[in-house]
Amino acid sequence: MDLIWPECGSCKQCLNWLLYCGRVKIMLNNQELTDLIGSGESDRVEFTSSTRDLDKFRRAICAFANDLPDHKKPGVLFIGLNDDGSCANLAIGDRQLQTLGGLRSDGKIQPLPVMEVAKRKLQSCDVAVIQVEPSENPPVRVDGRCWIRTGPRSDRATAEEERRLTEKRRWGNLSYDIHSVRGATVESDLDMQKFETEYLPCAVPADVLSQNRRNREQQMKALRLVTQDGTPTVTAILMLGIDPRYWFPGAYVQFVLYKGTDVTSTVLNQKELSGTLPDQLKQAETLLNLSITRPLNTSGARHIEEQSYPYEALRELVHNAVIHRNYENSNTPVLVTWLEDRIEIISPGSVFGAVSRENFGTPSATAYRNPTIAEAMKNLGFMERFGTGIAKARKALEDNGNPPPEFDVRDNFILAIIRRRP
């Protein structure tokens, strides 16, 4: 196998953790891939002669990531081969490879798989190879449905198979947001009515709920909300907690609106946005909408309303600050400072994983400090695609006539500055 290390070389943690975060990719070499083709389709190998069946590709990626047989080896999808392994003579171009690479973060596969996409010439045939590593955090789902490999096919997992996947979870290698909150209990610290009436229907399709008939504890384990011993995780407290700040004092948003251009100016409005993370974001969205000025431009034949800031950009940047901040060892809140000429958003915690100070904010650089929180927020509709928030903010600001956002990445926080429309 060809080992490709990240350029920064600064991470000194174990290889499993690096694989989970997506910072290290191990791609099978051509001989190993050729040997897999020779062995035919199996629970680790799939051939397809189409480049367009993205739903089929997602199911295969999900099933390989779940690795129900526990091979502890990557599964490989070969695009450009017929069912018998012969060459389908497809033209594999950069556009197809970009589309296939985008399957990882288009929001449909959760949690994000560790995968690599490459074009290879194998036995004189051009193929696109999607190699998927076994997940440290199963079960993996596509649109809320869990898929596994049954021989050469991808099939829906049964309730028993999902239970087995949950028990495979390697807790020691996982991100902080799936760790247990010691001392917390489901009965006293989680709003179970909110779980059953709001979260569960968003996280799991109705047909899956009706078929599986799992008990509440099994459902919460499968959704990464409790650990194997039934203790609430960090994500559960932040998403469903009765009093999240009891456990995480800095888990809130501080909003301050000033009259002038610096923090010594008169304070016009000040709010602490507390509660669960969804509650905080709903409150923030209301405040952002109320604080945007919308004067009328009367210079032309038609009077046009002009926003000082595009709501979509502010929403994306505040969402990013709340979802991707450091909850592990920081009691600092997310700070939204609204000044006369700009807005400053400070998120505790610096860059993470494959994201560096140099590539921060670029679409190709994605890593998730809190992947389980991001998954939960995606389930509730606060995110559409992973890794697109800053790009959306840039586009909204440009369309509205605002300068592009500015980012200042420090050792313990990230500052985003949004300038008012001239």
Side-chain angles (χ1 to χ4, degrees):
M1 292 187 293
D2 304 321
L3 187 59
I4 305 170
W5 290 95
E7 293 180 1
C8 66
S10 62
C11 185
K12 300 186 185 300
Q13 298 189 51
C14 68
L15 178 59
N16 282 340
W17 188 90
L18 289 169
L19 281 170
Y20 176 73
C21 294
R23 296 192 64 184
V24 170
K25 296 178 174 65
I26 297 177
M27 192 70 175
L28 299 176
N29 62 39
N30 282 8
Q31 185 58 55
E32 291 169 315
L33 293 171
T34 300
D35 291 344
L36 283 178
I37 293 173
S39 66
E41 289 189 301
S42 67
D43 53 10
R44 281 190 59 212
V45 178
E46 181 167 338
F47 305 147
T48 180
S49 58
S50 169
T51 61
R52 298 183 179 181
D53 195 347
L54 299 185
D55 286 338
K56 177 182 179 181
F57 302 161
R58 291 187 186 97
R59 293 193 293 268
I61 292 168
C62 174
F64 288 142
N66 279 323
D67 186 29
L68 183 64
D70 208 26
H71 291 301
K72 296 183 174 63
K73 296 179 180 180
V76 183
L77 173 62
F78 293 93
I79 299 171
L81 298 179
N82 297 313
D83 289 345
D84 61 358
S86 61
C87 185
N89 296 309
L90 297 183
I92 307 295
D94 290 342
R95 177 175 294 183
Q96 286 87 358
L97 294 176
Q98 290 172 2
T99 298
L100 296 174
L103 296 176
R104 176 180 183 268
S105 57
D106 67 3
K108 291 182 175 292
I109 306 175
Q110 299 181 47
L112 270 65
V114 174
M115 54 180 268
E116 175 78 340
V117 178
K119 178 181 176 179
R120 293 289 181 91
K121 184 175 286 291
L122 304 172
Q123 298 174 322
S124 301
C125 182
D126 286 338
V127 294
V129 178
I130 302 180
Q131 179 176 305
V132 185
E133 300 294 332
S135 175
E136 299 279 343
N137 194 6
V140 179
R141 294 183 173 82
V142 178
D143 289 331
R145 295 174 173 84
C146 181
W147 295 84
I148 59 167
R149 294 294 286 184
T150 305
R153 297 176 45 195
S154 297
D155 287 325
R156 288 268 299 274
T158 65
E160 173 60 21
E161 288 164 338
E162 281 203 42
R163 182 190 64 76
R164 288 166 55 193
L165 289 173
T166 301
E167 291 177 351
K168 285 177 57 194
R169 199 172 290 160
R170 299 174 179 91
W171 296 93
N173 295 331
L174 300 183
S175 56
Y176 175 71
D177 61 342
I178 198 173
H179 285 196
S180 64
V181 179
R182 293 182 177 240
T185 65
V186 170
E187 293 74 16
S188 61
D189 295 294
L190 298 185
D191 185 338
M192 295 313 299
Q193 182 176 358
K194 183 177 289 188
F195 168 73
E196 293 173 357
T197 61
E198 297 179 21
Y199 187 78
L200 190 60
C202 292
V204 183
D207 61 310
V208 176
L209 286 175
S210 63
Q211 292 171 13
N212 283 353
R213 296 179 182 176
R214 292 171 295 178
N215 62 41
R216 189 177 69 184
E217 183 177 1
Q218 291 171 332
Q219 290 171 334
M220 297 188 75
K221 284 182 180 179
L223 292 170
R224 290 166 273 277
L225 297 174
V226 298
T227 58
Q228 293 288 31
D229 63 2
T231 304
T233 62
V234 172
T235 296
I237 294 293
L238 292 172
M239 298 297 298
L240 300 167
I242 295 171
D243 184 11
R245 285 182 67 179
Y246 175 82
W247 301 99
F248 303 97
Y252 68 99
V253 178
Q254 179 73 56
F255 177 91
V256 186
L257 173 64
Y258 292 93
K259 186 176 182 179
T261 59
D262 60 63
V263 294
T264 63
S265 308
T266 302
V267 175
L268 299 178
N269 192 11
Q270 180 174 319
K271 298 282 185 183
E272 277 192 9
L273 313 182
S274 291
T276 63
L277 300 191
D279 290 340
Q280 292 177 35
L281 293 187
K282 289 174 185 175
Q283 296 172 64
E285 289 169 0
T286 300
L287 269 176
L288 295 175
N289 249 325
L290 291 174
S291 301
I292 293 172
T293 58
R294 297 175 173 85
L296 285 176
N297 183 342
T298 60
S299 60
R302 295 179 58 193
H303 294 180
I304 301 173
E305 186 177 81
E306 296 179 342
Q307 299 182 102
S308 55
Y309 300 95
Y311 166 74
E312 295 80 6
L314 303 186
R315 178 182 182 274
E316 291 292 340
L317 293 173
V318 170
H319 282 202
N320 271 9
V322 170
I323 294 170
H324 302 303
R325 62 157 290 175
N326 177 12
Y327 288 99
E328 182 173 5
N329 49 27
S330 174
N331 289 330
T332 304
V334 171
L335 300 174
V336 180
T337 304
W338 195 301
L339 299 155
E340 219 167 69
D341 60 344
R342 68 192 184 282
I343 299 169
E344 298 183 353
I345 303 170
I346 293 180
S347 178
S350 191
V351 290
F352 179 82
V355 181
S356 65
R357 296 188 184 195
E358 291 72 29
N359 66 17
F360 180 84
T362 60
S364 60
T366 57
Y368 300 92
R369 175 180 281 108
N370 305 311
T372 310
I373 291 175
E375 175 187 352
M377 291 305 226
K378 172 69 171 57
N379 288 336
L380 291 176
F382 288 95
M383 302 172 67
E384 295 178 5
R385 289 172 56 96
F386 295 107
T388 61
I390 292 178
K392 288 181 180 178
R394 289 186 194 277
K395 180 66 165 58
L397 288 166
E398 180 183 356
D399 291 346
N400 195 60
N402 296 74
E406 304 164 27
F407 298 100
D408 184 3
V409 179
R410 302 294 183 91
D411 291 339
N412 56 358
F413 68 87
I414 297 173
L415 167 65
I417 302 174
I418 309 97
R419 305 283 179 183
R420 186 185 178 98
R421 172 179 171 157

